[in-house]
Amino acid sequence: MKSSILSARQLMAGVGLVALALMAQPAFAEEPKAGGTFKLVGSGDVAGFDPVSARSASVFLHRALTRTLVAFPTDADPKVAAQPVPDLAEAVPSPEEGGLVYRFTIREGAMWNTDEPRQITAEDAIRGFKRLCNPVQPTGTPTYYIGIIKGFAEFCDGFAQVPADVESIRSYVEGTQVAGLTAEDERTLKITLERPTADFTSILALISSAPIAVEMLDYLPNSPELRRNYVGSGPYVIEDYILNEQLNLVRSTTWNADADPLRKAYVDRIEVAFGTPDAGKTQRMIEAGDIDGYFDLSIATADLTRIMENPDDPQLLQFADGAVNPILVLNIASPNNNAALADIRVRQAINYAVNKAAIVQVGGGPAVKQAVDQILTANVIGYEPYSLYPTPNNEGDPEKAKALLAEAGFPDGIELKFSYASGGRYDLYSAALEADLAKAGIKLIMQPAPSRTVMSQMYQNRQATNAGAWDVGMTSIRADWVGDSARTMIVPMFDGEACESSTSNWTCYNNPEVNTLIDTALTANDEAAAAAAWAAADKAIMTDAPIVPLITGKISLYASERMRGTTVNLLFNNVDPTLVWIAE
């Protein structure tokens, strides 16, 4: 391994770095005050409201509704934002018994928002873990827990056989034990792992493993009934929830501020109106003062160009989320063109042919986007910059691509089926790619479709993938959290040990060298050793060229003139609803 691998402290110091974590922060000097309504507009309803399946926008909501044992703090400094801090737990424990045991003591006075408030217990925490692999809507990140918590794989195997109805689920959850989850007393939880896991406390900071009140077993996971009757532990509760229309939160009367070190809950209400997919319309509403911010979108390119004329605008919030978005996925399983994409020379040709500079422009220009040549990004431990397929000014090298195609047996070029989610910026990216790849003799047969269709009928459909229904796909790779999170960018798409059953390793990419490096990183007790293994895995994957990374950069949001406390939380890429306040 290279001796130049950075320590976590050095790396994260450099993040501020790319960072910018928050390029523009309002410099208001007023003291925070309570009261008022925080208003947002979203494109659509929350797809996965249930904590076990919550992502992005729903994680934003759960910051107000739901507490976890530990949490990622809201801080403008990425070094601070990447370190889990106590939430429901009194402290972030040090691992015991060679890294296999963690003990958490839940804060006294941390209460459920029930009619008669009651203490959150270790059994509630165990219940949260058990619901992760329910047969209705299990977590999208099972590898974070299965094979890590002792006995959890066996528990989940049994759960998969349980009928997907309320009574069966309740009976299994309440009547089946997990060997590695023990309530030593009312407020002490012991977690025993199967193997040391360096990023375990970061995993626990995800909302998916939040403690769950027993009342939630009265409803099917993620059902409309669960959403309307959700029992949370945070400073807000659901006042009303009309699917696809609106969600209103009000301050809880049972939340104990003294037992919550992270949330201030300044505003009285949080209102989200669904049904506005046009980011331009949302921007006009914010600038008019009708609403306060974005719920699940960001500033449209046209508006961003105008707003960036004044990059010091205190209402402009910019931050690096660490995503590579978009990337091209090359279907190495496709039989098309005599299995051309199984030939590394064809995959390398595509990497050389892309004009990443053009994609940067479509994404908003170099002020907010930059070309990228690898998987890991600068706010992830294990990042080590390199470029295996450099081109002049990132504009592509059509001649080099043509030479590789000719060497692979395609002197006259090649046709590839390009399936991608239509709507939004992916249409613009795809148009740019079509024009530039054609210069290298790579003709794209465009197959746009709605996002859900592309995902279910193409990418995640193993039969369609193996039959060559698509050759090139477009998606993103992003970290689920900042810092010690390389597993979230590499494991889902590139761990080949269980690729046949994976819904994220679409093409069954399986490189034994990469698999070994992943295992080394996941089980490392030493942070530097884990970082070195992740860096090596990144480079080994890109040597195979199963993907084409395109750009990374900043997300841009806009806050109303009256909003204060607008530091962005890098877990859910939005302002913290429990820390904002309204100046009127």
Side-chain angles (χ1 to χ4, degrees), residues 431-454:
L433 287 165
E434 181 183 23
D436 285 312
L437 290 180
K439 299 174 184 176
I442 301 170
K443 179 180 180 181
L444 295 179
I445 302 171
M446 311 298 273
Q447 298 181 159
S451 176
R452 183 172 297 182
T453 300
V454 171

Side-chain angles (χ1 to χ4, degrees), residues 102 148 197-204 481 484-488 522 524 534:
Y102 289 79
I148 294 179
T197 303
D199 56 359
F200 187 62
T201 54
S202 294
I203 294 171
L204 293 184
W481 62 86
D484 192 3
S485 56
R487 75 150 72 219
T488 70
L522 291 176
W534 287 127

Side-chain angles (χ1 to χ4, degrees), residues 39-63:
K39 301 178 181 179
L40 303 108
V41 164
S43 62
D45 207 332
V46 181
F49 175 88
D50 196 305
V52 300
S53 55
R55 304 281 291 184
S56 303
S58 52
V59 177
F60 163 86
L61 288 175
H62 279 291
R63 189 70 166 194

Side-chain angles (χ1 to χ4, degrees), residues 108-337:
E108 186 174 5
M111 313 296 283
W112 288 116
N113 290 321
T114 46
D115 291 338
E116 294 187 10
R118 66 176 186 273
Q119 172 71 43
I120 298 170
T121 68
E123 289 291 352
D124 295 325
I126 291 174
R127 184 179 302 110
F129 283 106
K130 287 181 176 180
R131 287 182 76 254
L132 284 166
C133 50
N134 71 81
V136 176
Q137 189 170 44
T139 178
T141 54
T143 57
Y144 296 170
Y145 310 94
I146 296 173
I148 294 179
I149 297 176
K150 184 178 179 181
F152 202 64
E154 293 81 358
F155 175 85
C156 290
D157 286 344
F159 214 164
Q161 308 305 315
V162 171
D165 61 73
V166 167
E167 290 303 323
S168 299
I169 291 173
R170 180 193 293 114
S171 177
Y172 188 79
V173 168
E174 297 294 90
T176 309
Q177 302 305 310
V178 178
L181 299 173
T182 305
E184 296 189 318
D185 58 42
E186 183 187 44
R187 295 191 292 116
T188 304
L189 170 66
K190 176 185 176 183
I191 303 178
T192 303
L193 307 185
E194 293 186 1
R195 61 186 187 182
T197 303
D199 56 359
F200 187 62
T201 54
S202 294
I203 294 171
L204 293 184
L206 302 178
I207 195 66
S208 54
S209 56
I212 289 291
V214 67
E215 288 88 347
M216 292 298 87
L217 296 180
D218 292 339
Y219 312 99
L220 285 177
N222 204 39
S223 63
E225 293 75 21
L226 180 139
R227 298 178 185 218
R228 296 188 184 101
N229 296 279
Y230 186 74
V231 175
S233 50
Y236 295 91
V237 296
I238 296 175
E239 180 186 57
D240 60 90
Y241 192 167
I242 302 175
L243 295 178
N244 301 313
E245 292 186 22
Q246 67 182 37
L247 172 62
N248 296 330
L249 310 182
V250 295
R251 193 190 303 277
S252 167
T253 59
T254 62
W255 172 68
N256 181 0
D258 293 336
D260 191 338
L262 297 179
R263 301 163 184 82
K264 301 300 182 183
Y266 293 120
V267 299
D268 292 332
R269 297 174 57 84
I270 301 170
E271 297 181 353
V272 184
F274 303 125
T276 304
D278 183 346
K281 181 178 180 180
T282 300
Q283 181 65 30
R284 292 190 292 274
M285 295 171 72
I286 296 172
E287 293 183 14
D290 298 328
I291 61 170
D292 296 306
Y294 290 92
F295 175 62
D296 58 357
L297 294 175
S298 58
I299 302 175
T301 299
D303 287 313
L304 184 58
T305 300
R306 167 178 59 85
I307 292 167
M308 285 297 291
E309 294 177 0
N310 178 20
D312 296 325
D313 184 343
Q315 294 171 249
L316 174 63
L317 311 176
Q318 292 186 304
F319 56 96
D321 71 338
V324 182
N325 185 20
I327 68 165
L328 299 181
V329 180
L330 308 182
N331 183 3
I332 58 177
S334 173
N336 298 334
N337 304 291

